[in-house]
Amino acid sequence: MSCYNTLQFPLQDNYLYQARLVTEETTLGALRKKLYSATSSQGYFSENAVESTTEQTRTAGYAVSVAVIEGTGTLQSEERTKVWFKTQLAPTEMITGRNVVFEREQHQESSTTDDELNRRGDSTSTPEYGEKKLPHAIIIGVKKGGTRALLEALRVHPDVRAVGVEPHFFDRNYEKGFAWYRDLMPSTLEGQITMEKTPSYFVTNEAPRRIHSMARDTKLIVVVRNPVTRAISDYTQTLSKKPEIPSFEVLAFKNRTLGLIDASWSALRIGIYALHLETWLQYFPLSQMLFVSGERLIIDPAGEMAKVQDFLGLKRIVTDKHFYFNKTKGFPCLKKPEDSSAPRCLGKSKGRTHPKIDPDVIHRLRKFYKPFNMMFYQMSGEDFQWEQEEIR
Ligand SMILES: Nc1ncnc2c1ncn2[C@@H]1O[C@H](COP(=O)(O)OS(=O)(=O)O)[C@@H](OP(=O)(O)O)[C@H]1O
């Protein structure tokens, strides 16, 4: 049985993160090596592929061929994947001045209630009294984890003020400077906290350092979800806009016969939580991070909200009284606020029906993720029990 036995955060400017494991087999280093080794006969990929995540999303460049083998064999270059990456990773967003102008599809996805949000402006119903501040807390990920549901529930709290759209400051707009970023935020009164959510921060290598340089006491929230379901959700989103893309089963492998999983495909890469978390832990202590279960956010939203409010130092105001389960939608929705005529469910782009994926592919992916999940449980100190779950 392995044990993640040291997590040390000496009181220094840059927290020194040390993670040691008792057994060699399951060290993060060993897992990373397995993923990154360019020379091993087990097949793998260039570290640059992952290290340059942000660059890839900012430029139209496609991902370097990345593959992880689950068996033996050699890497095979498959042009179909590269070509698709080229389109998938192209920049999709433009932000100018205070106006956040999203490319249509990004806009739809990044905040399901954006139509509503845009109508009423970025701020909540609270008038614009107070002062604009840089965020005290950020929902940094993960994409398709349930980040919108969490932010919308938090916005019910009178002491939370959040920007509705995703600013993408620490990944795509950093050069615009902190004044630009602050200006996007709603004004807050004394005692209120400012928040934003941009799920891509979690997989952006520069984000931890940049957020640390803004404020080392920033609270970070990560909504995590079974990486296999998350990948299918991610794929479903892309498929809804680009029906011509190859099947999930095709994209998931470099070579299916050989069992070569294509971990450079962003839908799969995002779910290697342990590797991404390692970067964050170099800058922030675990005590400053909260991991919210995307699964529990659906089955027990009030329970997860209690944890989130405690973590943020807020009174537990958002409770089960604020939610009801909408049978048609199949998700919890927020009850009708006093100043509005309608209950608030998230829109059509949340809770899409996922395509049926070949069970064998699901099995292989679960096997692929298992060691990374175990590592993630050890690092985060929480067992999300994804191994026990049925994939819907
Ligand atoms: N209350 C509620 N209503 C609707 N959907 C909910 C809710 N709580 C969590 N979820 C799950 O959120 C998933 C979308 O995650 P995100 O909001 O993080 O997506 S995004 O990255 O901002 O595009 C979305 O994933 P899919 O079901 O795959 O669409 C939902 O499962």
Side-chain angles (χ1 to χ4, degrees):
M1 207 30 202
S2 69
C3 169
Y4 208 77
N5 65 356
T6 52
L7 281 173
Q8 298 172 8
F9 294 97
L11 295 172
Q12 296 168 358
D13 266 4
N14 286 333
Y15 294 109
L16 175 65
Y17 166 65
Q18 291 187 354
R20 290 201 196 98
L21 293 156
V22 173
T23 62
E24 195 201 316
E25 211 178 46
T26 47
T27 62
L28 192 53
L31 286 173
R32 198 191 308 102
K33 212 162 163 192
K34 195 176 171 196
L35 268 173
Y36 294 149
S37 164
T39 52
S40 162
S41 62
Q42 289 193 13
Y44 306 112
F45 53 87
S46 155
E47 188 151 0
N48 294 338
V50 174
E51 292 302 323
S52 61
T53 302
T54 313
E55 231 15 73
Q56 287 168 4
T57 52
R58 294 177 68 178
T59 65
Y62 53 74
V64 178
S65 293
V66 177
V68 176
I69 193 165
E70 279 193 333
T72 54
T74 50
L75 289 183
Q76 285 187 353
S77 164
E78 295 188 17
E79 286 309 311
R80 50 104 193 140
T81 315
K82 285 184 177 178
V83 169
W84 188 62
F85 272 130
K86 238 176 185 162
T87 49
Q88 192 201 22
L89 297 175
T92 54
E93 185 189 88
M94 244 176 44
I95 297 189
T96 45
R98 268 205 71 197
N99 302 318
V100 182
V101 184
F102 289 93
E103 195 263 356
R104 185 176 55 84
E105 65 196 43
Q106 174 70 29
H107 172 86
Q108 284 172 351
E109 290 307 329
S110 61
S111 51
T112 307
T113 53
D114 279 354
D115 286 347
E116 190 194 6
L117 293 168
N118 287 342
R119 260 183 271 125
R120 71 179 183 207
D122 264 352
S123 47
T124 58
S125 52
T126 317
E128 285 291 302
Y129 298 126
E131 204 187 323
K132 285 173 184 284
K133 296 200 185 93
L134 289 168
H136 301 94
I138 306 177
I139 300 172
I140 56 172
V142 299
K143 183 182 177 196
K144 306 317 288 177
T147 56
R148 174 55 60 188
L150 176 61
L151 190 73
E152 291 308 307
L154 270 169
R155 291 173 98 186
V156 171
H157 200 292
D159 292 337
V160 173
R161 305 236 44 224
V163 55
V165 291
E166 294 174 5
H168 282 276
F169 177 63
F170 295 104
D171 57 347
R172 300 177 192 166
N173 294 296
Y174 195 61
E175 70 291 347
K176 294 196 164 77
F178 284 112
W180 175 88
Y181 185 44
R182 185 182 359 235
D183 204 37
L184 282 180
M185 300 299 149
S187 299
T188 47
L189 298 170
E190 192 63 36
Q192 288 184 315
I193 62 171
T194 305
M195 290 192 70
E196 70 120 318
K197 80 118 178 161
T198 303
S200 48
Y201 292 161
F202 189 62
V203 297
T204 298
N205 280 319
E206 300 84 351
R209 180 177 45 78
R210 289 172 173 177
I211 296 178
H212 187 267
S213 81
M214 173 184 77
R216 55 190 292 179
D217 61 351
T218 309
K219 291 189 176 174
L220 307 169
I221 299 177
V222 196
V223 188
V224 288
R225 182 180 186 186
N226 185 326
V228 181
T229 329
R230 198 220 67 80
I232 300 170
S233 172
D234 203 333
Y235 171 78
T236 307
Q237 171 175 301
T238 312
L239 186 68
S240 71
K241 285 168 272 162
K242 297 189 177 104
E244 72 284 1
I245 61 168
S247 70
F248 182 92
E249 289 84 344
V250 166
L251 291 166
F253 291 93
K254 290 295 289 179
N255 182 318
R256 192 163 167 190
T257 321
L258 293 174
L260 274 171
I261 286 171
D262 190 348
S264 74
W265 182 28
S266 68
L268 296 185
R269 180 178 39 79
I270 291 171
I272 309 174
Y273 302 142
L275 290 186
H276 306 302
L277 179 58
E278 197 192 18
T279 319
W280 288 90
L281 290 177
Q282 287 166 15
Y283 291 89
F284 293 95
L286 205 52
S287 57
Q288 246 167 270
M289 301 187 78
L290 179 73
F291 300 93
V292 173
S293 158
E295 287 83 13
R296 287 199 296 266
L297 200 56
I298 296 170
I299 56 175
D300 178 21
E304 285 307 283
M305 286 309 292
K307 287 186 215 158
V308 175
Q309 291 168 95
D310 290 351
F311 172 71
L312 294 173
L314 297 167
K315 251 176 94 176
R316 288 190 186 181
I317 288 180
V318 186
T319 63
D320 50 359
K321 288 193 213 71
H322 291 88
F323 298 96
Y324 75 99
F325 189 80
N326 184 306
K327 283 196 192 132
T328 321
K329 179 86 187 152
F331 285 98
C333 298
L334 288 165
K335 280 186 188 156
K336 183 179 145 188
E338 275 154 31
D339 61 348
S340 160
S341 58
R344 299 178 59 215
C345 292
L346 298 186
K348 287 202 296 284
S349 69
K350 310 290 171 181
R352 290 186 181 101
T353 306
H354 294 178
K356 177 104 188 89
I357 307 298
D358 182 339
D360 175 59
V361 173
I362 303 268
H363 173 75
R364 282 165 187 250
L365 287 176
R366 291 181 77 128
K367 225 172 122 190
F368 164 73
Y369 279 120
K370 190 173 175 180
F372 295 108
N373 288 347
M374 295 300 154
M375 191 61 61
F376 176 65
Y377 301 159
Q378 290 177 336
M379 294 169 82
S380 65
E382 220 179 312
D383 182 350
F384 290 89
Q385 307 205 323
W386 291 317
E387 286 62 39
Q388 267 84 69
E389 244 178 56
E390 285 293 312
I391 303 288
R392 72 165 167 110

